Amino acid sequence: MCGIVGYVGEQSAADVLFSGLARLEYRGYDSWGIALAAPDGLQVRKKSGKLAGLRDLLATETLPGTVGIGHTRWATHGRPDDVNAHPHLDCHGHIAIVHNGIIENYVELREELRRQGHTFVSQTDTEVIVHLLERELADPDALRADGGYVGEYARSGAPDALLTAAVAATIRHLDGAYALAVLWDALPDCLVAARKGSPLIIGLGQGENLIASDIPAVLAHTRRVAILNDGDLAVVRAGGVEFLDGGLTAVTEPEIMEVEWSLEAAEKGGYEDFMLKEIHEQPTALRATLQGRFEDGRVQLSELTLSDAELAALERVFIIACGTSYHAGLVAKTLIEKWARIPVEVQVSSEFRYSDPLVDARTLVIAITQSGETIDTLFGVREARAKGAKAFAVTNVVGSSVTRPEAADGVVYTHAGPEIGVAATKTFTAQIAALNVLALKLAQARGTLTADEIARIFAELNELPGHIEQILLHQDDIRSCAESGCCVNACTSLFLGRGVGVPIAMEGALKLKEISYIHAEAYAAGEMKHGPIALIDASVPVVGVATDGSTYEKVVSNIKEVQARDAIVVVVASEGNESIRNRVDHVFYVPRTSELLSPIVATVPLQLFAYYIAKSRGCDVDQPRNLAKSVTVE
Ligand code: F6R
């Protein structure tokens, strides 16, 4: 959600900002903008629509300047139009800011500033920040006279003293979340950045430094990346970066990491779309996530820093997550309850926080978030820890907010590599793989499975990547089914499953609706006759998850019920099940697995099904409308 890029160096800032923003397109946006420190003051260009607008502009206009800030906006406050696009400027056009997050008290601040003579041009919450800055910078004596850390820094004689002090003074007024970058024409060789609750990283280059919302935006320049701590600031110049904590004390040893994956990993690599590439990367992602997790007859999960005795004493597990990650959580519930015999509750994060959840020191809270930045999940973890629970995160993004010590007690990483397509695919199956490991770890600690049983399950888990490779070989069958008139032209569709098939049906429905814009609803198949069956007629495709398992026959009965109402039926079934072939309209076969491991294989055809339907409808599968990859607002 919203992408920020800032550059200070020797290259054309406009070009660097454009390519950085292009690498953040996956986050979702509806307008773009840049501000550059040019010899005759700030140069600002911004517009609604896609970044192609900026590319066209740069083809016709040379924009001078080697320092600048850029933004892609995902509208929250105010329409996605040219005026609301960032950067926002103060009344006189000397200060420019870009912002990701939401300022919750902006209405009061705007009224106060209006009374003091400030004029607002946009409907955004962001604009108050630049006017607050203007107010601070208009009175340097007041900044210097401040009795606290702001005054101390303003008096320090640092070349950036006034701007940095003004930013620190400004953010004291803000309630809510922000990642922001500030450019001031009086200090044209430096940017000041700050964050609280929204992601911001610093790319440390040679003679150039960058800030960005995510790593891909800086990878063309450097692999050395520092994650700005929550509440901290950074003063960025070409020759170096000064890290400051919220009290403006220097952070002398910022955490710097060397990014292991390359720019190519964040490129399409010959595939038509990131989504298709990422679907195909699932075997690799799964292998990487499972690697080293079962050695010497024991489940290896040292990241879960609880002792076996503590794990054995747990009375309850709570899983919180959103969207696709929530579906992974539903799969995990079955795994943990069956293998480790602990009651598990799964809740969407946005509800968890406000539900006064019954968690305490004997509760393990597992937060599942691919991006590690979903604000609802971050707040949920905070709530759980405040109530005394231990909270662990399952995430794919190293250094993301959920991995910070102030967020969770520990992190289990999926190793799926960067996921650029907005629709989660490889990270979903990698999450399920990681959650299998976690469930087995709990079972081992609690003695609810024998060592042999755990070894057998691991052996089967390790076969899953090969199974997915088999499914991918048959993607053309899925494609032709998806492209058939009954699916592509459907207005609505129903996905059915039972047991572990229910979350997979939910995930299949979510994939279809988010990328093809066809309405899709998922139901536990047995619930059909309690209402939704009224929707069924020949125009409604029904997709059933009918892999082998204890409820297979029940799913088949439910499928017959919809067929009796003329529905077109597509099923995912286990290889070797020939009898189903003649009973339904289309079958996507997946290799046989034991029931509890079937979710991973059953998901893949449904991802491809949604993908090919969306492509046939001409949809942008990588950047579906209205969606953002990283949801940093509540
Ligand atoms: C769907 C999708 C979203 C995310 C959700 C949570 O394809 O990607 O539903 O799963 O926004 O995101 P994370 O996992 O980053 O917390």
Side-chain angles (χ1 to χ4, degrees):
M1 230 164 220
C2 297
I4 290 178
V5 182
Y7 179 74
V8 190
E10 290 176 350
Q11 299 185 27
S12 153
D15 291 344
V16 176
L17 295 177
F18 169 71
S19 23
L21 291 173
R23 297 207 178 277
L24 297 181
E25 278 197 296
Y26 72 89
R27 297 173 70 81
Y29 71 103
D30 33 49
S31 59
W32 56 265
I34 57 171
L36 307 166
D40 48 354
L42 298 185
Q43 288 284 328
V44 177
R45 302 288 184 277
K46 55 182 191 169
K47 207 153 184 43
S48 61
K50 293 291 179 187
L51 276 173
L54 177 55
R55 189 191 51 221
D56 294 348
L57 184 135
L58 296 179
T60 54
E61 189 182 3
T62 306
L63 292 173
T66 61
V67 178
I69 52 178
H71 191 261
T72 44
R73 171 174 185 253
W74 189 87
T76 55
H77 294 61
R79 293 180 57 76
D81 60 22
D82 296 358
V83 176
N84 289 329
H86 299 207
H88 287 285
L89 302 178
D90 66 307
C91 294
H92 304 288
H94 294 303
I95 314 162
I97 74 150
V98 291
H99 164 229
N100 175 11
I102 288 185
I103 304 306
E104 286 166 1
N105 57 338
Y106 81 102
V107 174
E108 304 93 90
L109 290 171
R110 194 172 54 192
E111 286 319 305
E112 180 187 321
L113 287 156
R114 268 194 182 133
R115 282 195 299 275
Q116 294 168 353
H118 291 258
T119 308
F120 286 79
V121 294
S122 79
Q123 299 153 329
T124 64
D125 53 334
T126 301
E127 202 181 352
V128 296
I129 308 175
V130 74
H131 286 279
L132 286 170
L133 267 169
E134 178 180 22
R135 188 173 75 181
E136 299 295 342
L137 286 167
D139 194 352
D141 290 340
L143 272 177
R144 290 189 199 99
D146 179 284
Y149 59 88
V150 167
E152 203 177 313
Y153 197 88
R155 295 189 298 272
S156 69
D160 50 75
L162 276 186
L163 179 58
T164 306
V167 172
T170 293
I171 59 185
R172 287 195 298 206
H173 295 285
L174 306 179
D175 291 341
Y178 53 81
L180 51 94
V182 180
L183 180 60
W184 185 29
D185 63 3
L187 208 60
D189 59 350
C190 124
L191 303 177
V192 176
R195 77 165 279 220
K196 192 181 123 211
S198 295
L200 203 64
I201 59 116
I202 315 283
L204 302 163
Q206 298 284 339
E208 58 179 3
N209 290 299
L210 301 97
I211 58 175
S213 302
D214 199 2
I215 293 169
V218 306
L219 272 189
H221 299 261
T222 180
R223 285 188 179 206
R224 287 188 73 225
V225 165
I227 316 284
L228 198 60
N229 286 327
D230 213 40
D232 284 6
L233 292 85
V235 182
V236 184
R237 294 173 178 278
V241 177
E242 188 182 0
F243 293 87
L244 299 164
D245 69 14
L248 296 181
T249 303
V251 177
T252 46
E253 289 186 4
E255 201 182 308
I256 295 173
M257 62 179 189
E258 199 73 30
V259 179
E260 282 171 12
W261 44 273
S262 64
L263 200 52
E264 292 70 54
E267 286 176 341
K268 288 186 196 157
Y271 286 90
E272 212 170 310
D273 317 273
F274 282 111
M275 183 175 174
L276 189 60
K277 176 182 177 236
E278 287 156 4
I279 290 173
H280 278 258
E281 283 173 343
Q282 291 182 104
T284 312
L286 244 62
R287 285 190 182 102
T289 300
L290 292 171
Q291 191 178 5
R293 292 305 189 180
F294 187 64
E295 281 177 0
D296 306 323
R298 308 279 301 163
V299 182
Q300 306 295 329
L301 200 64
S302 54
E303 302 92 319
L304 199 61
T305 50
L306 298 180
S307 66
D308 281 2
E310 286 171 306
L311 293 177
L314 289 174
E315 287 175 355
R316 200 165 190 218
V317 173
F318 238 109
I319 298 180
I320 56 171
C322 305
T324 289
S325 296
Y326 171 72
H327 300 154
L330 292 174
V331 174
K333 171 183 165 71
T334 306
L335 301 177
I336 296 172
E337 288 186 342
K338 290 242 175 318
W339 288 339
R341 310 304 296 161
I342 318 176
V344 181
E345 203 155 325
V346 192
Q347 212 167 3
V348 288
S349 310
S350 52
E351 290 299 317
F352 175 83
R353 183 185 177 196
Y354 298 104
S355 66
D356 192 11
L358 289 170
V359 300
D360 58 24
R362 294 206 155 190
T363 312
L364 173 67
V365 173
I366 303 170
I368 311 172
T369 165
Q370 179 288 127
S371 61
E373 300 294 350
T374 300
I375 201 91
D376 286 323
T377 305
L378 292 172
F379 282 149
V381 178
R382 193 187 294 173
E383 177 74 16
R385 290 179 86 196
K387 285 178 174 274
K390 285 273 181 211
F392 286 83
V394 176
T395 187
N396 193 45
V397 180
V398 177
S400 58
S401 295
V402 85
T403 69
R404 315 302 292 164
E406 64 273 15
D409 294 294
V411 189
V412 177
Y413 281 110
T414 47
H415 295 281
E419 187 174 71
I420 308 294
V422 163
T425 51
K426 63 175 177 172
T427 55
F428 175 62
T429 45
Q431 282 169 346
I432 299 179
L435 291 161
N436 269 272
V437 176
L438 203 146
L440 290 171
K441 169 79 181 172
L442 288 169
Q444 177 181 275
R446 298 166 73 86
T448 44
L449 288 181
T450 65
D452 282 353
E453 283 168 326
I454 294 175
R456 203 158 11 88
I457 295 168
F458 257 102
E460 208 193 328
L461 270 174
N462 286 327
E463 287 172 8
L464 296 181
H467 289 345
I468 296 178
E469 278 158 359
Q470 289 302 313
I471 298 167
L472 294 172
L473 288 179
H474 298 288
Q475 68 177 19
D476 283 346
D477 300 344
I478 299 171
R479 177 186 198 147
S480 40
C481 166
E483 288 172 353
S484 65
C486 64
C487 296
V488 166
N489 298 322
C491 295
T492 188
S493 59
L494 220 50
F495 284 66
L496 303 177
R498 292 185 89 129
V500 278
V502 177
I504 299 316
M506 292 168 80
E507 177 58 9
L510 178 61
K511 285 291 91 90
L512 185 64
K513 68 185 136 194
E514 69 181 334
I515 61 169
S516 76
Y517 317 140
I518 294 176
H519 175 251
E521 206 170 328
Y523 257 90
E527 272 292 290
M528 274 290 294
K529 46 194 169 299
H530 300 289
I533 202 161
L535 293 171
I536 300 294
D537 64 23
S539 70
V540 180
V542 174
V543 181
V545 179
T547 44
D548 289 359
S550 51
T551 52
Y552 169 76
E553 291 300 342
K554 306 278 178 211
V555 177
V556 171
S557 302
N558 300 137
I559 285 170
K560 283 187 185 147
E561 290 157 10
V562 295
Q563 281 180 315
R565 274 96 191 157
D566 299 328
I568 301 287
V569 174
V570 177
V571 295
V572 178
S574 302
E575 249 164 32
N577 179 352
E578 287 305 319
S579 67
I580 199 146
R581 199 190 284 278
N582 302 323
R583 297 203 212 160
V584 298
D585 299 281
H586 302 274
V587 188
F588 305 148
Y589 282 111
V590 295
R592 248 172 223 283
T593 63
S594 60
E595 183 174 359
L596 292 187
L597 298 197
S598 63
I600 288 181
V601 288
T603 296
V604 180
L606 299 185
Q607 295 169 338
L608 288 164
F609 183 63
Y611 171 83
Y612 284 119
I613 290 180
K615 290 294 284 185
S616 301
R617 289 165 65 94
C619 300
D620 181 344
V621 293
D622 284 342
Q623 290 171 45
R625 69 184 179 207
N626 303 340
L627 294 180
K629 183 78 182 159
S630 175
V631 182
T632 52
V633 294
E634 265 196 273

